Amino acid sequence: MARATTDMRGAAARDPKDAADPEGFNASSGSADPEGRAAAPPPARTRKSGLATGKDAGGITLRHRLRRDRVLILMTLPAMLLLLVFTYVPLLGNVVAFQDYDPYISDNAFQAMLNSPWVGLEQFQRMVEDRLFWQALGNTLAIFLVQLTLFFPVPILLALFINSFVRPRVRAVAQAILYLPHFFSWVLVITIFQQMFGGAGLVSQVLRDHGHDGFDLMTNPALFKFLITFEMIWKDAGWGVIVFLAALAAVSPDLYEAAAIDGANRWRRMWHITLPALRPVVALLLVLQVGNALTVGFEQILLQRTAVGPTAAEVLDTYVWNVGIQYGDFSYATAVGVVKGIVGLLLVLGANKVAHLMGEQGVYRK
């Protein structure tokens, strides 16, 4: 015992660093002690970064990842090509918003763009002074607020009802019934509503048969905002349930069992487990919904615009279509579209910032 103590004192005298490390590991050199213990990894500052070596965190190079995922990359190429051709390439045409574009200058659209005179911000000044533009903007915002209030909560409520109250055997049938209207075209949906709530519709005929006055919901300008919202609920609310049911499927059943053991009833479990699980998805979809505030349904409104008149049914999308396609004022219509896109982007960024302040991820992280 005395000899071992003497040897340890001598080692400490020879190398003070070894004395400070009773395990025998030299942190500066990364070597093992004389008794053969395994050497610890070198300090993080001596390791080469993944950027310098071309490797990711798993040590796989970019070349190997491309070879490994080549099948998935080939599968996504058609979608990327469609996105490029129909989304990004048309963005080049926004240049005509700063021109007095005349498509008849040349048979080639690109040559016509190059030869059209530049007018600067003249088209945007016209837009500010146009009374019809502000009327279309007001109708668009009013319809958006109605849809946000009445349509947005419906898929959430349906998902909660199906997940909490519907039996598993009945759940599949209920989901299929709710999903089915999503696959109908707007022409068919509006036709069904016309046969039900039109002046000669089923509801109006039943009221007349029982001595009451009939009504025509399809041609009432005052109720048009609520009409298109109810049409959207009937068509797309069931489809929106898919997203919320997928979020609820990720909740562990152990949480519900533990809450039930602690005495929580069905409503308590819904309030403390189900709703917090839906909160990130609701925040994400709400941000996207706010970003589409100026896009409230082109085809649906265009099909019913004549029945109620442009005063109640003219929105930005139909306004751009009328000005650009029907009257051929491409530059002015493009200017309205550019402003619509910029405002939509700002709304997404603002709503996403609010989501971050509320502790949610939103569309992207901070």
Side-chain angles (χ1 to χ4, degrees):
M1 183 70 182
R3 181 179 180 183
T5 305
T6 304
D7 292 339
M8 291 181 62
R9 291 177 180 177
R14 290 191 301 269
D15 194 347
K17 294 182 180 180
D18 292 342
D21 188 3
E23 297 294 334
F25 174 73
N26 192 335
S28 61
S29 61
S31 59
D33 63 350
E35 297 184 7
R37 297 189 184 95
R45 57 185 177 85
T46 62
R47 298 176 183 175
K48 295 182 180 179
S49 62
L51 296 177
T53 60
K55 297 181 179 180
D56 58 8
I60 304 177
T61 62
L62 177 61
R63 179 181 177 183
H64 290 163
R65 280 187 293 162
L66 292 177
R67 181 182 301 176
R68 180 194 62 189
D69 301 332
R70 61 183 181 274
V71 177
L72 298 177
I73 295 175
L74 292 176
M75 290 175 60
T76 58
L77 282 180
M80 295 175 61
L81 182 62
L82 290 175
L83 185 66
L84 177 66
V85 172
F86 292 101
T87 302
Y88 289 99
V89 173
L91 290 177
L92 300 176
N94 288 333
V95 70
V96 302
F98 306 93
Q99 297 178 327
D100 186 9
Y101 178 68
D102 186 1
Y104 303 104
I105 295 179
S106 175
D107 295 335
N108 192 323
F110 294 99
Q111 290 295 331
M113 290 172 56
L114 294 176
N115 297 329
S116 296
W118 293 87
V119 295
L121 301 178
E122 180 180 334
Q123 307 296 344
F124 297 93
Q125 184 178 357
R126 284 180 55 193
M127 180 180 60
V128 174
E129 299 173 355
D130 189 357
R131 179 183 60 85
L132 297 178
F133 165 77
W134 293 107
Q135 179 181 336
L137 178 60
N139 290 336
T140 303
L141 294 177
I143 293 174
F144 164 72
L145 292 177
V146 173
Q147 292 180 353
L148 184 65
T149 304
L150 299 181
F151 172 75
F152 187 77
V154 173
I156 303 175
L157 297 177
L158 288 176
L160 293 176
F161 177 77
I162 293 175
N163 185 75
S164 302
F165 298 99
V166 178
R167 296 180 179 180
R169 295 182 179 180
V170 187
R171 188 174 301 172
V173 179
Q175 293 178 13
I177 295 175
L178 291 173
Y179 299 163
L180 183 61
H182 173 76
F183 300 98
F184 296 164
S185 65
W186 276 116
V187 176
L188 181 58
V189 172
I190 295 172
T191 302
I192 294 174
F193 270 76
Q194 178 68 37
Q195 296 299 320
M196 292 294 298
F197 305 106
L202 178 62
V203 177
S204 183
Q205 290 181 3
V206 171
L207 290 176
R208 292 192 187 98
D209 293 340
H210 290 78
H212 302 284
D213 294 334
F215 69 95
D216 189 359
L217 181 62
M218 305 301 293
T219 59
N220 191 335
L223 299 177
F224 179 72
K225 301 178 182 62
F226 300 96
L227 171 64
I228 62 175
T229 302
F230 291 143
E231 291 173 352
M232 182 177 295
I233 290 175
W234 185 75
K235 184 178 187 297
D236 291 330
W239 185 256
V241 172
I242 297 177
V243 179
F244 298 105
L245 288 180
L248 293 178
V251 181
S252 175
D254 297 338
L255 296 177
Y256 293 102
E257 296 176 0
I261 294 174
D262 291 340
N265 56 21
R266 179 175 296 176
W267 297 103
R268 286 290 183 180
R269 295 196 297 268
M270 180 184 299
W271 181 260
H272 293 286
I273 299 177
T274 306
L275 290 180
L278 289 179
R279 182 175 173 179
V281 180
V282 171
L284 173 61
L285 294 182
L286 187 59
V287 170
L288 297 178
Q289 185 76 11
V290 172
N292 290 327
L294 302 183
T295 303
V296 291
F298 169 72
E299 183 181 358
Q300 177 192 10
I301 296 177
L302 183 65
L303 291 171
Q304 304 176 86
R305 180 176 177 272
T306 306
V308 297
T311 303
E314 188 77 289
V315 295
L316 286 180
D317 287 339
T318 58
Y319 180 72
V320 170
W321 181 83
N322 290 325
V323 173
I325 303 301
Q326 287 194 333
Y327 299 106
D329 196 349
F330 298 103
S331 295
Y332 180 61
T334 304
V336 176
V338 169
V339 171
K340 177 174 173 286
I342 294 176
V343 172
L345 176 62
L346 295 178
L347 288 175
V348 169
L349 296 178
N352 199 72
K353 182 64 176 179
V354 174
H356 289 167
L357 295 177
M358 297 176 61
E360 300 297 335
Q361 178 177 337
V363 179
Y364 59 87
R365 296 183 179 180
K366 296 181 180 179

